[in-house]
Amino acid sequence: MDYIELAMKKAKAGNCKSDTNFFQALEEVLVSIKPLIERHPEYTTQNIIDRVIVPNRSIYFKIEWLDDSNNIQVNHGYRIQFNNALGPYKGGVRFHPSVNPDILKFLAFEQIFKNAITGLHIGGSKGGSDFDPKCKSDEEVMKFCQAFMTSFYHSIGEDIDILGGDIGVGAREVGYLFGQYKKLTNTNDSIITSKPLSLGGSLARNEATGYGLIYFTQKLLQDKGETLKGKVCVVSGSGNVAIHAIEKLYDKGAIPVTCSDSKGTIYDRNGIDLALLKKLKIKQRVSLKNYMAESKTAIYVKKSDYKNNSSHVWEIPCYAAFPCATQNELDKAGAKALISNGVKIVSEGANMPTRPDAVDLFVANKVLFGPAKAANAGGVAVSVIEMGQNSSLTYLSFKQVDKRLQGIMSDIYKDIKVICDKYDLGDDFVSGANILGFQRVADAMIMQGV
Ligand code: NDP
């Protein structure tokens, strides 16, 4: 058994046997860094894998808050401060009923390498709660956010661990979390990013993940002499990442024809009505089903009518597919449907949205594949730009931030390409991204001693 197999076996035999999402993420990284480990014996002598795959610190806390009927509610809160070899921990906060320690551990683990890939000096963390902001009043969301922050504010800081948004945590939640931190500490420290502009947020942060996804995809296509112009694209999700991916696709002359939420899928053959989507999902926070009332061309397929467990989105013929909702949303059946309809590229907006057997199928069928760690890194990159603006009290225009985002996404692609060439990986950008991120973290750890 080699060093990598041994490390995986040891991790699986540990005390977190139910961490299925984490092991999925771990296996993908460990399998792909094999050539790196072979060329660098110091990683084995320094036992770097065992040291990278265990979080530095996992914080669990109870959150008690009063609902609108004055009943006391209890939720679970978590923060996984996984690795800070490259800089302060940095990672989003997710509020969703599915949140558990396994999901946050996988997200924090992915975040380490994603952050490293950007070339910026930040470590990786993730946090959240099983609280569901849906169907809650603004006041309930505020009270919950205040209680969440009160429970663990002493564990974060602008040089320690910086929070951000994720599923269920948008400008409203970020504002309440930041407000409570300021009250508790009497500081204005930038402990959270994706802030509303009036609280010191950055222009273009809201758009950054979705825009960055399309910039990265374009770079990948450009190398093959292809472009998104005039191409039919499918997008899953209808949150921050999906909406801004759709917006940028239009900007590049593509035709995004789908979006989805947890209840169903919209297929609009003429292209998704972006203004309507924003109204429903940002302003009104309602189900996509309501799209039908204002569209003559759209088709709505509810989740219970999907052909497979995955999503109806993958059944629609397209040139490019962008999974932008959640983890494991694109399975083997979805991949088969996309391939049989001639998909040419799949690029991940969400974190780990594609199941490993689906990734294998894309690779086997020569479908270009942009992995999340690289393709959706634009969000965290602009978060760091936001932190820089806060500390220098100098603010950039939308155009300036967008230009820097384009530069960062282009550099990410170039850096991964160098690794792919160096290790003869061809178009295996999954391995290229994992090697790039892992090497940066491992080297920083070794330099700092045990
Ligand atoms: P949002 O909360 O804004 O949107 C999430 C979208 O996904 C919604 O349309 C939601 O549907 C749908 N969704 C959530 N859970 C499920 C599920 N179990 N099944 C089907 N659909 C689901 O989140 P974001 O757009 O911010 O995040 C989307 C993904 O992108 C996540 O994986 C996140 O980790 C990742 N990401 C986000 C970044 C950011 O900057 N926001 C940065 C990098 C990655 P509904 O409306 O019904 O809830």
Side-chain angles (χ1 to χ4, degrees):
M1 199 177 286
D2 68 16
Y3 175 48
I4 292 180
E5 286 163 350
L6 203 62
M8 191 70 203
K9 195 174 168 210
K10 257 172 34 191
K12 282 190 169 164
N15 58 3
C16 300
K17 295 188 179 65
S18 59
D19 287 354
T20 51
N21 285 285
F22 173 64
F23 287 131
Q24 182 182 326
L26 181 63
E27 196 148 14
E28 182 207 283
V29 171
L30 293 190
V31 167
S32 48
I33 61 168
K34 207 167 176 191
L36 176 76
I37 299 293
E38 280 166 6
R39 281 200 206 179
H40 289 268
E42 72 275 18
Y43 293 155
T44 305
T45 47
Q46 292 276 342
N47 195 14
I48 203 70
I49 296 182
D50 279 4
R51 292 164 62 195
V52 168
I53 69 179
V54 177
N56 290 358
R57 191 170 293 110
S58 298
I59 304 160
Y60 166 74
F61 46 97
K62 179 178 67 171
I63 305 145
E64 296 177 328
W65 56 283
L66 274 182
D67 69 17
D68 285 347
S69 313
N70 268 340
N71 293 317
I72 299 170
Q73 301 291 339
V74 180
N75 285 95
H76 303 271
Y78 313 89
R79 187 76 183 167
I80 316 291
Q81 296 176 335
F82 216 121
N83 189 296
N84 64 351
L86 285 172
Y89 301 107
K90 173 82 191 88
V93 174
R94 178 177 290 193
F95 291 163
H96 194 271
S98 66
V99 162
N100 61 37
D102 169 40
I103 289 192
L104 294 178
K105 200 171 161 190
F106 116 69
L107 287 166
F109 182 69
E110 297 273 289
Q111 195 80 43
I112 308 170
F113 307 113
K114 181 193 310 196
N115 293 0
I117 286 168
T118 62
L120 299 164
H121 281 275
I122 37 173
S125 57
K126 200 83 183 191
S129 171
D130 57 356
F131 171 75
D132 188 357
K134 273 192 210 137
C135 306
K136 302 284 192 306
S137 69
D138 271 357
E139 198 171 351
E140 286 177 321
V141 171
M142 180 179 77
K143 284 194 218 156
F144 172 80
C145 289
Q146 292 174 338
F148 181 90
M149 184 52 83
T150 303
S151 303
F152 91 122
Y153 74 97
H154 41 270
S155 300
I156 60 173
E158 63 181 355
D159 294 320
I160 303 169
D161 185 5
I162 304 102
L163 319 180
D166 194 77
I167 291 178
V169 178
R172 174 182 60 168
E173 290 76 14
V174 166
Y176 293 147
L177 290 166
F178 187 44
Q180 184 67 358
Y181 185 85
K182 288 168 62 157
K183 280 187 204 119
L184 291 167
T185 60
N186 197 27
T187 70
N188 197 41
D189 293 349
S190 181
I191 51 85
I192 192 161
T193 56
S194 302
K195 292 184 288 292
L197 291 182
S198 54
L199 298 182
S202 173
L203 285 162
R205 171 58 188 94
N206 207 23
E207 292 80 0
T209 310
Y211 280 21
L213 169 68
I214 306 307
Y215 295 146
F216 180 83
T217 308
Q218 268 189 310
K219 283 281 155 202
L220 223 149
L221 287 171
Q222 208 177 322
D223 245 6
K224 306 281 171 201
E226 295 271 333
T227 148
L228 286 165
K229 198 164 184 205
K231 306 286 179 18
V232 171
C233 300
V234 298
V235 177
S236 67
S238 51
N240 176 285
V241 180
I243 286 174
H244 296 106
I246 290 173
E247 189 164 87
K248 189 45 74 181
L249 282 170
Y250 275 127
D251 189 41
K252 298 294 168 196
I255 312 152
V257 295
T258 65
C259 59
S260 64
D261 64 13
S262 49
K263 299 196 178 65
T265 296
I266 287 286
Y267 169 45
D268 199 337
R269 65 177 191 281
N270 294 339
I272 291 293
D273 180 339
L274 186 59
L276 176 56
L277 177 62
K278 284 186 175 180
K279 184 174 92 174
L280 298 175
K281 283 298 179 182
I282 300 176
K283 240 180 157 182
Q284 300 177 349
R285 299 172 189 268
V286 294
S287 157
L288 273 180
K289 198 169 58 185
N290 296 282
Y291 191 104
M292 299 306 289
E294 297 184 46
S295 170
K296 291 196 175 78
T297 46
I299 293 168
Y300 179 72
V301 182
K302 59 177 189 295
K303 195 175 176 184
S304 53
D305 291 342
Y306 288 173
K307 258 196 196 161
N308 60 59
N309 284 334
S310 199
S311 171
H312 185 69
V313 168
W314 320 129
E315 306 291 326
I316 308 298
C318 64
Y319 172 85
F322 299 93
C324 295
T326 192
Q327 64 273 0
N328 287 324
E329 56 168 316
L330 172 49
D331 63 6
K332 199 172 173 183
K336 272 187 184 163
L338 281 168
I339 291 164
S340 66
N341 283 325
V343 72
K344 292 286 178 294
I345 182 164
V346 176
S347 214
E348 297 183 313
N351 284 313
M352 204 173 76
T354 316
R355 290 181 188 270
D357 50 3
V359 179
D360 291 345
L361 215 54
F362 289 131
V363 173
N365 285 275
K366 304 225 172 320
V367 174
L368 284 173
F369 189 80
K373 282 187 201 86
N376 75 18
V380 73
V382 173
S383 282
V384 176
I385 296 174
E386 178 179 333
M387 287 153 61
Q389 293 176 83
N390 292 157
S391 61
S392 66
L393 296 176
T394 317
Y395 286 85
L396 303 173
S397 68
F398 189 100
K399 218 171 156 185
Q400 286 171 313
V401 179
D402 190 36
K403 197 167 172 214
R404 284 174 67 174
L405 171 65
Q406 290 179 51
I408 291 170
M409 298 316 292
S410 171
D411 288 347
I412 289 175
Y413 176 68
K414 278 189 221 147
D415 290 350
I416 293 175
K417 192 80 181 70
V418 168
I419 296 284
C420 286
D421 293 344
K422 183 172 170 187
Y423 288 92
D424 275 334
L425 296 170
D427 287 337
D428 180 1
F429 300 112
V430 174
S431 296
N434 284 330
I435 290 176
L436 177 66
F438 190 93
Q439 182 161 23
R440 284 181 177 161
V441 175
D443 290 347
M445 285 179 78
I446 290 171
M447 275 178 226
Q448 289 169 67
V450 182

